[in-house]
Amino acid sequence: MAALCRGSHRWKKINSFHVLKRKLTGKHDYDLVVIGGGSGGLACSKEAAQLGQKVAVLDYVDPSAKGTKWGLGGTCVNVGCIPKKLMHQAALLGTAVKDAQRYVKAKATMAEAVQNYVKSLNWGHRVQLQDKKVTYLNLKGTLVDKHTIRGLSKAGKETILTAKNIVLATGGRPKYPSNVPGALEHGITTCSHSDVALECAGFLTGIGLDTTVMVRTIALRGFDQQMAGLVTDHLESYGTRFEWKSVPTRVEKLSSGALKVTWTNTQTGCEHSDTFDSLLWAVGRAPETKALGLDKLGVQISKETGKIIVGPDESSSLPNIYAFGDIGEGRPELTPTAIKAGRLLAHRLAGRSSELMNYDNVRHSGSRPPRVIHSLHLSTAYIPVYHAFYKPLEFTVAQRDSSQCYIKVICERAGHQKILGLHFLGPNAGEVLQGFSLALQCGATYRQLMQTVGIHPTSAEELVKINITKRSGLDPTVTGC
């Protein structure tokens, strides 16, 4: 595959390796080499280049079990947030079509447009790297020592690069359940686990497909379970089927092409089976660290997760080797978090700043047509907890069920009641709470929330009117404007 690079250079074959020689001062080819062209790696490399560093990015995608591969941008751009949200939008439009029977009528499709947009993002990343003078090499990188990287192309050619600092931002790949016969041969994967599983189920149901979700224990582990229950109630009310307390045992492909899935109910011990057109696994991700050669260098890795153990400054156990994003132990697996962490790391490595990434109060949202849950993952054990069931204006004429539209504000007990977390279930929750995330970062209190004038008529204004606590026992249903 072609490698895009800038600057004067020549190729020299030494000991069967192709070595890229650049006219640089110092003993290394680069100030920084980043292995991984996902959101975090690209952000770090471009920021470092803007700060005057000599930078290279190695990115190479091994095909999936089904032969799928993709371009620059990582999971989020290619097989995660971007295509997922576009499909979610298609589901929203599908729901709007149903509502339109009371307004107007319409219909649409999506797959080709989604793929075309993703390809445009891949190309855009290549252009940005070139504009910022970052050398892009379509190579799979492995560490030889703490300053040396071996890159391997698809054709098997090896390239050796050296760098003062090395950043590992290789992210993760979806897992298959290795103990289920037929899982790898007949299933496909999504980019994450329970939250994305429900997102996919939501947009598949939303575009009119018969969809079933199999849940081993609980839905949305790690989220507030009251909110999780409302989400699954909503999905069920819109047609998504759930098989609770169920574990798949085997997958078989029938002569008709359909997939026969067999599972066991863990409560009753009974075995069940059904046929489906396709099977999507959403059982988590594994960090892409095994092929980096870290064990030979003594880089500390968590035995439980396989992730790299890092300090507050993203440093590994070896000086000059850093890791962040999905492969950093204890780090949120979120694209915006990786982008910000990568940019801050670039500034520190260039000697321009000492600011560390603040991983507290990182927000997370998930799309589940026709609404979104947004949560800061804080326990409702804090009191007081203000809450409200509300009805979005757009649900009224269409006579849509709003019984799962719910808000919860968790506060400290003393003083002006500092807000500790927000949970929001309803339309456009990600948009609604982006601004509130800033407020929480600035230490917003319940008193300040009550002093805020709402924008009418919006669902967001329900947050600045919330006044009933769970402890009061009063009906939290909003009536009127």
Side-chain angles (χ1 to χ4, degrees), residues 31 83 98 149 183 234 252 280 283 289 294 345 355 362 427 471:
D31 295 312
K98 295 177 183 177
I149 303 99
H234 166 74
E252 305 163 84
L280 184 148
V283 294
T289 55
L294 302 179
L345 176 58
E355 183 181 356
V362 174
R471 174 181 263 185

Side-chain angles (χ1 to χ4, degrees), residues 128-147:
Q128 288 178 23
L129 290 176
Q130 192 171 19
D131 288 347
K132 294 181 184 298
K133 297 182 172 59
V134 176
T135 302
Y136 164 55
L137 302 170
N138 184 215
L139 303 174
K140 187 173 184 177
T142 303
L143 275 65
V144 178
D145 59 43
K146 66 179 183 178
H147 289 292

Side-chain angles (χ1 to χ4, degrees), residues 112-124:
E112 184 178 354
V114 171
Q115 291 301 318
N116 287 339
Y117 181 65
V118 168
K119 289 176 182 177
S120 75
L121 293 178
N122 298 151
W123 177 252

Side-chain angles (χ1 to χ4, degrees), residues 33-37 56-60 137 139-141 149-151 161:
V33 169
V34 177
I35 302 178
V57 171
L58 276 65
D59 188 69
Y60 186 89
L137 302 170
L139 303 174
K140 187 173 184 177
I149 303 99
R150 177 188 291 118
L161 306 92

Side-chain angles (χ1 to χ4, degrees), residues 153-174:
S153 72
K154 183 180 180 181
K157 291 184 178 180
E158 294 178 306
T159 303
I160 297 295
L161 306 92
T162 63
K164 178 182 178 183
N165 293 303
I166 298 173
V167 168
L168 306 177
T170 50
R173 292 287 288 259

Side-chain angles (χ1 to χ4, degrees), residues 63 188 236 334 345 348 377 394 400 448:
I188 59 175
E236 286 187 302
L334 298 168
L345 176 58
R348 294 195 301 273
H377 302 289
E394 54 266 47
R400 291 255 294 277
Q448 291 170 329

Side-chain angles (χ1 to χ4, degrees), residues 275-289:
T275 57
F276 303 91
D277 295 321
S278 59
L279 170 63
L280 184 148
W281 296 107
V283 294
R285 289 158 56 86
E288 285 280 85
T289 55

